[in-house]
Amino acid sequence: KVFKTKTGRVVRDGGGVEADVRVPRSSPVSLIEVLLLREGTLFDFASQWAQANAYSGARPVVTDAVFADFTRFVLRGLKSGEIRPEAVYAPQLAALEKGFKESGQVSPLSSATVIRGALEQEVKSDLAKHEVDLRFGLEEAILSRYLPESQLRGLALERDGQVKEAVALALDRPRYESLLRPPGGSANAKQTGD
């Protein structure tokens, strides 16, 4: 069933009020972000950075040099085995290797090693591909050592697409007022209170 408010807004039974402005979804979290969060890599690097550096209050904290250090930190973790990309990129790989070992099949294990190497290359590629999001996550991890939660949330809001769109809409008076004007309505819809 379709109802209309006093000002002509459409309300669907069971569906609530539709958004006046649709904001496209932000990109989903990448596998590299999931991996680095799951492995604690962002946290570990931020802790190391905080021990070696003084926070001056300047932003961004994650400069090109800091991100280059972070990239080296991740690559060292891959090489040492501290960061295991198969945990996120190919979770079945460990079970497959275990099955081969238990059954005494050695030759497929070399294929698993090749797959692991390919996963490491994928991680390296994703570091560059998702640099913007990784910089933000790293910045947040570092700043969490210095700023209260309320300030961290404020910084996160600066990046939020819905908040940006709401602010842009509020600053665009003609556009805002056009959303408040009643649309042309159909005569057969029931009236409800706003």
Side-chain angles (χ1 to χ4, degrees):
K1 236 177 175 182
V2 176
F3 301 91
K4 288 204 176 192
T5 66
K6 289 179 187 175
T7 58
R9 289 178 177 266
V10 173
V11 181
R12 290 186 169 68
D13 189 19
V17 179
E18 288 188 31
D20 292 316
V21 177
R22 294 198 182 273
V23 178
R25 272 189 153 168
S26 59
S27 60
V29 177
S30 65
L31 286 176
I32 185 72
E33 290 173 276
V34 171
L35 172 68
L36 298 178
L37 287 170
R38 182 176 173 173
E39 298 286 321
T41 309
L42 292 168
F43 179 83
D44 292 344
F45 180 83
S47 295
Q48 179 181 301
W49 187 91
Q51 288 176 352
N53 298 278
Y55 174 59
S56 67
R59 288 201 48 233
V61 173
V62 181
T63 61
D64 291 344
V66 172
F67 192 76
D69 288 344
F70 173 69
T71 299
R72 285 189 290 278
F73 183 82
V74 171
L75 296 178
R76 278 193 309 271
L78 283 171
K79 190 171 187 162
S80 71
E82 291 174 34
I83 299 173
R84 299 184 49 86
E86 61 272 12
V88 173
Y89 283 73
Q92 305 81 1
L93 185 60
L96 184 63
E97 285 180 313
K98 183 180 177 187
F100 286 141
K101 285 178 184 174
E102 288 174 356
S103 67
Q105 297 178 16
V106 179
S107 61
L109 287 173
S110 64
S111 296
T113 303
V114 170
I115 293 171
R116 183 169 279 110
L119 291 176
E120 288 179 11
Q121 288 303 316
E122 188 68 23
V123 168
K124 290 175 186 177
S125 169
D126 281 356
L127 281 168
K129 184 177 174 184
H130 298 285
E131 181 177 342
V132 171
D133 292 327
L134 291 171
R135 278 178 181 260
F136 180 78
L138 187 55
E139 180 102 3
E140 192 174 76
I142 291 172
L143 291 176
S144 71
R145 270 94 181 135
Y146 303 100
L147 303 178
E149 183 69 24
S150 58
Q151 278 188 283
L152 292 172
R153 289 181 190 263
L155 294 173
L157 287 174
E158 289 176 9
R159 187 173 186 242
D160 187 285
Q162 290 182 357
V163 172
K164 285 181 181 178
E165 183 61 33
V167 169
L169 178 62
L171 295 173
D172 185 345
R173 191 76 183 169
R175 184 172 167 224
Y176 177 76
E177 288 177 358
S178 75
L179 289 173
L180 297 178
R181 275 189 234 111
S186 64
N188 58 3
K190 253 189 198 177
Q191 295 286 318
T192 66
D194 274 332

